[in-house]
Amino acid sequence: MAFIQYITQIHLDFGVVRQLAAELNRVGVRKPLIVTDAGVRAAGVLDRALLALKQPGEGLAPVPFAVFDRTPSNPTEAAVREAVTLLQAEACDGLVAVGGGSSIDLAKAAAIAATHPGPMTHYATIEGGSPRITDRVLPLVAVPTTAGTGSEVARGAILIVDDGRKLGFHSWHLVPRVALCDPELTLKLPAPLTAATGMDAIAHCLETFMSPAVNPPADGIALDGLARGWANIERATRNGSDREARWQMMSASMQGALAFQKGLGCVHSLSHSLGGLNPRLHHGTLNALFLPAVVRFNAPADSMVLDRRLERLAQAMGLSGTVAADGSSIADAIQFMNVRLGLPSGLAALGVSRSDFEAVIDGAMADHCHKTNPRLASRDDYRAMLEASM
């Protein structure tokens, strides 16, 4: 039996950040902690959200708030403790995440840590922690400023815990009460970050569609999100002020996360593990580099497990001609897209060494995405995927 649940309230349009105060009032948050990062603040994007709290419009009083702007590029348990300390000192009763996936994930982790005792590992998915996350988590409103992770509509968060592992945390209680998806907040996003986050969204759509779990609504959402993302990522990267492309990428990002409630696979197993070993590496960039090798690895499962899904992926990507049985046409298209977007040529360009492989494989085998891939990867399989991605 398939269990299907969709998911939260979503506002998608230019200017919807101005509804922040009204949405906080609706979900009962009187004083939020704003979780963001230094880059979002320096770019002036945070100011738009704060203005919506200071000048909320007719019939609404200004909303008091505190700001935590020290989110790392890969959120850590130490940063969560800092945020919770500030939240408690300021007597905040909820959270607003303004930023990319890192800020949203850190806010989710803080929502757990502020109301649940013990270390974060106690609540990690692979440690059996999901049932320990209860409805006592603090309410969260998400305002994404990138179009990539889709964490604003997801039930999960990724966090580097104190022992160095990059772990997933999953509970329906972690889904933000509302997502304010305002493409206007992404207009000044630099081209490299637009490309990397955009490929993250595309990876979500591709990988969740290949997952063998049964969720027809997720499959439909993933294919539509892939079509939007693939058709618009170059436009958004080359012309950051292209409003139509920015809207489409915001939608693709949100759709990828609506879909990946179904499950992901080896791309994310590898990127979670390698990102835990080297937190300076960007998650979306890693996903882009791992995608071609994983598509090729999954191709033999297509006729047996994936119900000819490679053909449907190719159609959504606008690829012409016959789809190669080994997945090479899709994999090659992704590699060419990475080149056109100016992404790194491979893992070696990021400073990854073959001496890192065994540690990456250890983490990938233990990752929560490992078992939802259409083919169960062995250590040798992961080693081959890493080699192919160098």
Side-chain angles (χ1 to χ4, degrees):
M1 179 188 297
F3 175 74
I4 300 170
Q5 179 172 326
Y6 281 101
I7 287 192
T8 192
Q9 293 195 24
I10 303 164
H11 298 268
L12 171 62
D13 206 355
F14 289 92
V16 295
V17 71
R18 292 191 287 272
Q19 300 181 37
L20 180 55
E23 289 299 329
L24 287 170
N25 182 67
R26 182 181 65 81
V27 301
V29 174
R30 300 293 176 254
K31 182 180 181 181
L33 177 69
I34 313 298
V35 177
T36 188
D37 63 52
V40 170
R41 177 162 233 170
V45 177
L46 176 64
D47 291 337
R48 300 189 194 183
L50 299 185
L51 183 63
L53 299 179
K54 296 172 182 176
Q55 300 177 15
E58 187 176 352
L60 292 171
V63 179
F65 58 86
V67 175
F68 178 82
D69 63 0
R70 296 187 295 279
T71 301
S73 57
N74 282 280
T76 64
E77 188 170 358
V80 170
R81 284 193 293 271
E82 285 187 60
V84 170
T85 297
L86 178 60
L87 180 149
Q88 294 172 338
E90 294 285 343
C92 297
D93 61 350
L95 300 113
V96 174
V98 181
S102 296
S103 293
I104 299 173
D105 282 5
L106 190 142
K108 290 178 181 179
I112 300 170
T115 54
H116 293 65
M120 290 302 300
T121 50
H122 187 61
Y123 305 99
T125 302
I126 65 169
E127 301 289 347
S130 292
R132 301 176 188 133
I133 302 172
T134 73
D135 60 4
R136 290 184 292 112
V137 298
L138 291 181
L140 168 64
V141 172
V143 183
T145 62
T146 64
T149 70
S151 188
E152 68 271 9
V153 296
R155 73 184 191 277
I158 303 296
L159 182 71
I160 298 176
V161 296
D162 286 340
D163 65 14
R165 289 181 294 166
K166 193 170 189 178
L167 301 183
F169 299 77
H170 297 84
S171 168
W172 291 112
H173 299 303
L174 294 181
V175 178
R177 303 293 179 87
V178 64
L180 297 176
C181 299
D182 190 337
E184 192 167 321
L185 302 182
T186 70
L187 289 176
K188 293 184 179 180
L189 198 67
L193 194 55
T194 298
T197 55
M199 285 304 297
D200 192 16
I202 286 170
H204 292 157
C205 294
L206 276 160
E207 193 163 35
T208 200
F209 187 74
M210 288 186 287
S211 172
V214 177
N215 193 324
D219 288 342
I221 291 168
L223 281 180
D224 184 76
L226 174 60
R228 294 175 188 274
W230 192 260
N232 287 278
I233 187 170
E234 284 188 89
R235 285 176 56 190
T237 300
R238 297 183 187 282
N239 179 8
S241 62
D242 187 327
R243 293 172 68 87
E244 171 65 15
R246 290 295 192 183
W247 192 99
Q248 296 290 350
M249 291 308 299
M250 182 67 81
S251 183
S253 174
M254 175 266 294
Q255 289 176 249
L258 288 178
F260 73 46
Q261 314 298 336
K262 174 186 168 186
L264 292 165
C266 290
V267 170
H268 280 75
S269 297
L270 287 165
S271 59
H272 289 158
S273 180
L274 181 51
L277 289 174
N278 185 348
R280 294 187 301 276
L281 299 178
H282 189 273
H283 175 70
T285 300
L286 294 179
N287 283 349
L289 297 184
F290 285 131
L291 260 174
V294 174
V295 168
R296 289 187 172 97
F297 172 72
N298 286 340
D302 186 38
S303 60
M304 297 177 290
V305 179
L306 299 186
D307 190 25
R308 308 310 303 175
R309 292 190 173 218
L310 294 181
E311 294 178 4
R312 297 168 70 188
L313 289 174
Q315 183 179 24
M317 296 164 68
L319 304 182
S320 59
T322 303
V323 179
D326 61 359
S328 59
S329 52
I330 294 175
D332 289 347
I334 295 167
Q335 287 181 306
F336 293 148
M337 178 66 80
N338 288 343
V339 171
R340 294 198 302 273
L341 294 174
L343 291 170
S345 58
L347 296 177
L350 298 176
V352 177
S353 167
R354 288 176 176 82
S355 62
D356 299 321
F357 281 10
E358 296 310 309
V360 175
I361 294 167
D362 288 342
M365 295 288 289
D367 189 76
H368 62 276
C369 296
H370 168 66
K371 292 185 179 179
T372 51
N373 199 69
R375 292 181 68 196
L376 192 61
S378 67
R379 294 187 68 89
D380 286 344
D381 293 327
Y382 275 126
R383 195 173 294 110
M385 285 183 258
L386 285 164
E387 185 64 43
S389 305
M390 286 294 284

